[in-house]
Amino acid sequence: MATRQVSIASSVGLHARPASLFVQAVTATGLPVTIAKEGGNPVDARSILVVMALGAKHGETVTITAEGEGAEAALDSLVELLSRDLDAE
Amino acid sequence: MTGQTSATFHGIGVSAGTAVGPLVVVAAPPTPPADEAPTTDAAQAGVLVRAALEAVATGLEARAAKAEAHARPILEAGAMMARDPGLVASIDGQLQGGLGLTTAVTAAVEEYCAMFESLGGYMAERVTDLRDVRDRAVARLLDQPEPGIPSLSEPSILAAQDLAPAETATLTAEICLGIITAAGGPTSHTAILAAQLGIPAIVQAVGILEVPAGSIVAMDGGVGEITVDPTAAEVQLLAERKRRREAALAGGTGKGSTKDGYPVALLANIGTAEDARKAAALPVEGVGLFRTEFLFLDRETMPTVEEQTATYIEVFEAFGDRRVVVRTLDAGADKPLKFADLGPEENPALGRRGLRLGMVRTDILDAQLQALAAAYQATKADVRVMAPMVATQAEAVWFADRVRALGLPQVGVMIEVPAAAIRSKGILYHVDFASLGTNDLSQYTMAADRMQGELADLLSPWEPALLDVIALACDGGAEMGKPIGVCGEAGGDPALALVLVGLGVKSLSMAPGKVPAVRTSLAAHSLHTCQQMAAAARAAITGAQAKAAVMAMAAPVLADLL
């Protein structure tokens, strides 16, 4: 199982458009990806509702994990995505 | 067609024009049956729910593909929610717990809604979208039509309890021949938008939802008359009315003036740069109300000064040397901004809205004024800036100082609070002009919520008390020698326009589609007649009597314009 930690760069947090872009990217990997806040339970990162309800704010660290072929590379690209201010783009 | 079956009834006509066509009923949201059977086979129920959600998603995507750019993201987001694995997982959980099909869907959705509402702000607003998906899925599971406006396969007349502004915005005059609602008021957003789109509309048509879908209906959005299964003779009569109306409207494209040549500027109400381009192509003398809210609503962050400047330049250039009256941001508790939410209020209409919000969030107001000043410098257009919701002289001074400091040539205020109308002389001492927002002035004068259709009688723009308040405002303007215009819906009524002119109003701003009727009406009456009509209307006891008195004094052509 591959794991990464990343701090949310989007100024509005993992909400709205940034959340939608993240979930679309996760779905495109075809892998079961989870996301968790510090000390929280991992939840399904393919669900826009679950991700938005997570309420990860700007600057908060989240842990993302994935399993299966290409999991390492998939997580690297997702880390790269979350490290950008998606709302400003 | 059997002539005996035709039935006629009335509502309030809010957007003139006639239409004949099949009635399409906009379904109300379904309610899960209280006696729904519990789920015994969760796996099989899960298959049914997945099929319903997939059908909802496909339907929303199909509509998104056909929708205009501004409506597309909302529909696509809905499709994404319908396919959401988290939602399906929650519904599965509820089904395994034994809840019936639609009850399980509702329970799962409400769980997310509660979570989103507790997060507030942007998330709380997604609750509406989520419940829309729920309503559609539940309707599918119950074998009912999905709620909301269906895709129309032929030009039709829509009937609904009421329409959400977002729904009305997706309509076009090509496919939607007319709108009839059982609720709603004459100043509701549906009414305003329908007039903007040039679609005939009738509100408060109690009983319209009992008319079977598919019935042929004839409607007259001017007088508010609806005929179900009209006879050939009735359709012909309507066509004759339409012909007479068109003939009356063919009366020229010049500047507005009374029969004896007293000038009254006829202006357009606009809300976007696209509106500006369309209105500028028409024979109007400029813009009497440029609502700037569209730049701010539905956004996460404030638009930059540069972005605002570019839009304002676009609007000013469209009108060349014709005037453009810009209203600064009119937001507040009922039209909240994501980046300027001052929190929930007990009485939004009486809360921190309009200039009151601007005085708290000076950063937003100043950025807008800077952009307007830059656009003015770039175009040297006839720009006049006014503030919404001004109540006192002190507020007028505060605003005028800020506007003049930036070199903008003319500053004014909206008069929509009775206090400002009563003391208009003092206010106009400090500013260059004022514009009467008759919709809000009516709701504040009568202490009647304009969104509440049941109060439509109190909110009649013919109400003599409202006319008295308008007269007070105009008297103050006359004493100061400064112009007062009207930019509420009242200005677009060809009969009421005569009364307003008689009271002393110098300009009338309205949905561009209403200008020709008002122009014709003015040209058929002298200023003296308008003044006599104003006196007769103010002497009446009720709004209905005021209107009847004016109609009795009017030239015959006025009847063809309504």
Side-chain angles (χ1 to χ4, degrees):
Chain A
M1 179 152 63
T3 295
R4 298 283 187 285
Q5 287 202 322
V6 57
S7 161
I8 303 293
S10 289
S11 50
V12 296
L14 199 48
H15 269 175
R17 207 174 88 85
S20 163
L21 291 175
F22 172 67
V23 170
Q24 280 169 10
V26 167
T27 308
T29 67
L31 299 173
V33 179
T34 66
I35 180 168
K37 289 210 286 189
E38 263 176 304
N41 287 324
V43 295
D44 190 345
R46 294 169 298 190
S47 162
I48 182 75
L49 295 176
V50 166
V51 169
M52 290 203 293
L54 189 67
K57 296 189 177 59
H58 172 73
E60 262 190 290
T61 300
V62 295
T63 304
I64 51 176
T65 61
E67 253 178 296
E69 201 172 325
E72 298 284 347
L75 287 189
D76 285 339
S77 71
L78 293 173
V79 164
E80 193 274 326
L81 189 75
L82 292 178
S83 310
R84 302 198 323 245
D85 185 357
L86 298 170
D87 204 45
E89 287 173 16
Chain B
M1 187 120 325
T2 61
Q4 281 72 29
T5 60
S6 79
T8 296
F9 55 108
H10 289 87
I12 301 172
V14 292
S15 179
T18 59
V20 181
L23 195 72
V24 169
V25 177
V26 179
T31 35
D35 56 349
E36 193 172 41
T39 296
T40 47
D41 184 345
Q44 194 219 337
V47 172
L48 292 176
V49 166
R50 279 171 177 77
L53 286 169
E54 181 54 34
V56 170
T58 312
L60 289 172
E61 276 172 348
R63 289 182 56 183
K66 283 191 282 181
E68 291 198 35
H70 68 275
R72 205 171 295 144
I74 304 171
L75 297 166
E76 281 170 351
M80 198 165 166
M81 285 183 185
R83 288 215 180 87
D84 194 276
L87 181 61
V88 175
S90 302
I91 297 172
D92 278 340
Q94 300 288 357
L95 291 170
Q96 277 150 18
L99 288 187
L101 270 180
T102 64
T103 317
V105 171
T106 303
V109 166
E110 283 311 309
E111 230 174 77
Y112 280 106
C113 288
M115 214 170 348
F116 285 1
E117 271 166 352
S118 72
L119 291 168
Y122 172 85
M123 300 303 294
E125 281 161 38
R126 300 283 72 75
V127 165
T128 315
D129 306 343
L130 197 49
R131 290 204 174 117
D132 180 59
V133 169
R134 171 200 65 190
D135 290 341
R136 291 175 186 281
V138 168
R140 291 240 172 216
L141 289 167
L142 296 172
D143 264 332
Q144 290 175 10
E146 283 190 25
I149 297 174
S151 309
L152 301 174
S153 52
E154 60 177 327
S156 312
I157 293 175
L158 286 181
Q161 178 65 27
D162 202 356
L163 290 175
E167 286 180 310
T168 322
T170 62
L171 298 173
T172 63
E174 284 78 54
I175 192 78
C176 176
L177 299 173
I179 297 173
I180 305 173
T181 65
T187 62
S188 65
H189 293 295
T190 299
I192 293 170
L193 219 49
Q196 199 82 254
L197 294 167
I199 298 175
I202 298 173
V203 300
Q204 290 286 306
V206 179
I208 189 65
L209 294 177
E210 275 86 76
V211 177
S215 307
I216 298 298
V217 167
M219 67 181 284
D220 184 331
V223 296
E225 193 170 88
I226 300 155
T227 309
V228 184
D229 291 332
T231 61
E234 281 165 335
V235 170
Q236 189 151 15
L237 204 66
L238 203 65
E240 170 64 12
R241 266 193 65 83
K242 187 177 177 182
R243 194 193 60 72
R244 288 174 65 100
R245 188 178 146 77
E246 280 167 2
L249 292 183
T253 55
K255 290 190 170 184
S257 78
T258 60
K259 195 176 180 180
D260 51 335
Y262 174 78
V264 179
L266 299 179
L267 308 165
N269 289 348
I270 63 166
T272 63
E274 195 189 335
D275 286 354
R277 277 189 294 278
K278 284 183 191 160
L282 302 169
V284 295
E285 288 160 60
V287 171
L289 173 63
F290 172 23
R291 302 182 178 96
T292 53
E293 286 75 66
F294 83 100
L295 273 164
F296 298 87
L297 296 174
D298 299 320
R299 296 183 61 133
E300 297 301 312
T301 52
M302 196 168 89
T304 62
V305 172
E306 291 72 31
E307 182 190 343
Q308 291 189 56
T309 306
T311 304
Y312 299 148
I313 288 177
E314 223 178 306
V315 171
F316 296 166
E317 279 179 343
F319 282 92
D321 58 0
R322 289 180 279 178
R323 82 175 76 165
V324 178
V325 179
V326 185
R327 180 179 70 189
T328 56
L329 179 62
D330 186 14
D334 67 330
K335 290 180 269 184
L337 295 179
K338 281 162 198 154
F339 50 89
D341 192 355
L342 301 179
E345 294 183 324
E346 209 51 54
N347 277 308
L350 304 179
R352 286 191 287 182
R353 51 172 294 204
L355 184 64
R356 298 170 186 181
L357 175 67
M359 292 176 87
V360 178
R361 289 296 305 269
T362 48
D363 57 323
I364 298 175
L365 179 64
D366 287 344
Q368 183 172 31
L369 293 178
Q370 273 169 30
L372 286 167
Y376 166 67
Q377 290 302 338
T379 58
K380 291 291 177 193
D382 183 355
V383 179
R384 311 177 187 190
V385 179
M386 66 179 178
M389 204 59 191
V390 170
T392 67
Q393 286 191 50
E395 287 170 355
V397 171
W398 185 90
F399 181 72
D401 286 349
R402 271 184 135 73
V403 174
R404 292 200 177 110
L406 289 165
L408 283 157
Q410 284 217 48
V411 59
V413 298
M414 293 277 295
I415 294 184
E416 39 197 345
V417 179
I422 293 165
R423 306 200 54 143
S424 68
K425 185 181 168 189
I427 284 178
L428 280 162
Y429 178 79
H430 304 287
V431 298
D432 304 312
F433 69 95
S435 185
L436 289 154
T438 47
N439 305 344
D440 272 331
L441 188 56
S442 166
Q443 97 163 338
Y444 295 133
T445 299
M446 303 306 291
D449 186 343
R450 61 188 262 210
M451 296 305 153
Q452 204 164 329
E454 301 89 332
L455 300 177
D457 281 351
L458 285 173
L459 291 165
S460 161
W462 288 93
E463 169 60 44
L466 176 65
L467 300 180
D468 281 350
V469 174
I470 293 172
L472 274 177
C474 290
D475 290 350
E479 281 188 62
M480 291 308 304
K482 296 196 176 156
I484 294 195
V486 166
C487 63
E489 295 307 305
D493 178 325
L496 198 50
L498 300 173
V499 173
L500 294 169
V501 168
L503 291 172
V505 162
K506 307 284 186 218
S507 62
L508 298 165
S509 193
M510 61 202 84
K514 294 185 171 180
V515 169
V518 173
R519 180 187 286 116
T520 301
S521 174
L522 281 176
H525 301 87
S526 69
L527 177 60
H528 183 64
T529 304
C530 291
Q531 288 164 341
Q532 286 181 319
M533 286 172 162
R538 287 179 69 191
I541 294 170
T542 66
Q545 285 173 8
K547 183 172 185 176
V550 168
M551 293 307 291
M553 299 165 78
V557 70
L558 190 57
D560 293 334
L561 295 171
L562 297 180

